Amino acid sequence: MQTMKWITILVLYLAAAGPLAQAAPQVVDAKNAASLDAQKEKRAFESLLNLVEKEIISAVDAMPADKFGFAPTDGEFKGVRTFGQMVKHFSATNHILAAAALGEEPPAETGDELGPESVRTKAEILAYLKGSFVHLDKAVEAIGQTNIPVNASPMSPLKRGEVTRLALITETLLHAYDHYGQMVEYLRMNGVVPPASRP
């Protein structure tokens, strides 16, 4: 959990520092400076995405297969997603935002953020989750490539003209933290210590 806190701080720092760094005087010419900045941003987001991917996938893999249909019932949990549905939603959202960052249409099977109906077992859900991170990796790889368009996404608060590739990728990381917290609760309710919290 401490790792996620520092990742959040780093993402927010990068979001704030990016415009400040661009405003600072550059010793090299503008063409080379833009190229160097894009490479730095790409490396930073690759590192952050790798950390998030590792923690999310290990948390999902830690849940026993027979608990993917688990949803809390005590308290105010009426109508919440099951663990498996939450992971599919998270994965579908990754695909939708990655597609927008790559100027693509969202995959048809994302099903309005629900994910494919045919994906049901733990193995299938894990494969779908891993595929969503591959899609995000492609979006990160496109940072700095001006020949690849960026689309607005109806699920993003950013509208056409405001949206950027970096913003969409940042949005996926913020969304990951939200669901990672939920995954941790579901795991602990089932007597599973999240891998990131183990000694």
Side-chain angles (χ1 to χ4, degrees):
M1 202 61 154
Q2 190 70 5
T3 303
M4 291 304 251
K5 174 184 163 190
W6 286 111
I7 291 172
T8 302
I9 291 168
L10 184 57
V11 167
L12 295 174
Y13 170 77
L14 286 172
L20 294 175
Q22 291 172 357
Q26 298 291 321
V27 176
V28 293
D29 65 276
K31 182 179 176 184
N32 288 334
S35 175
L36 291 174
D37 287 348
Q39 292 307 311
K40 279 179 152 180
E41 298 295 344
K42 187 186 299 187
R43 283 194 305 273
F45 275 94
E46 284 169 350
S47 296
L48 292 172
L49 188 59
N50 286 338
L51 287 170
V52 169
E53 181 176 3
K54 180 181 173 188
E55 290 203 349
I56 295 277
I57 289 175
S58 67
V60 173
D61 196 31
M63 182 66 94
D66 64 341
K67 298 294 185 181
F68 269 60
F70 170 81
T73 54
D74 292 340
E76 294 295 324
F77 288 102
K78 185 176 181 181
V80 298
R81 294 180 176 107
T82 66
F83 186 82
Q85 289 169 335
M86 178 182 18
V87 177
K88 282 174 44 173
H89 156 74
F90 170 77
S91 305
T93 301
N94 281 353
H95 277 297
I96 291 167
L97 292 172
L102 291 166
E104 305 167 351
E105 289 299 314
E109 79 275 0
T110 54
D112 194 26
E113 302 173 36
L114 299 177
E117 178 59 35
S118 61
V119 172
R120 295 183 180 159
T121 67
K122 176 178 178 175
E124 291 168 343
I125 291 171
L126 265 169
Y128 186 58
L129 172 64
K130 290 175 183 177
S132 78
F133 279 111
V134 170
H135 203 174
L136 284 175
D137 287 338
K138 290 179 185 174
V140 170
E141 186 59 35
I143 291 173
Q145 296 182 20
T146 55
N147 60 326
I148 298 175
V150 177
N151 290 343
S153 172
M155 64 178 298
S156 174
L158 300 169
K159 305 301 177 219
R160 188 172 303 283
E162 300 174 337
V163 70
T164 67
R165 186 169 289 117
L166 287 178
L168 289 167
I169 295 167
T170 300
E171 192 172 341
T172 66
L173 295 174
L174 295 172
H175 187 242
Y177 305 145
D178 180 32
H179 285 292
Y180 179 74
Q182 290 178 310
M183 289 175 196
V184 165
E185 289 298 321
Y186 281 37
L187 286 168
R188 289 191 181 275
M189 286 178 175
N190 284 283
V192 179
V193 176
S197 299
R198 295 174 190 168

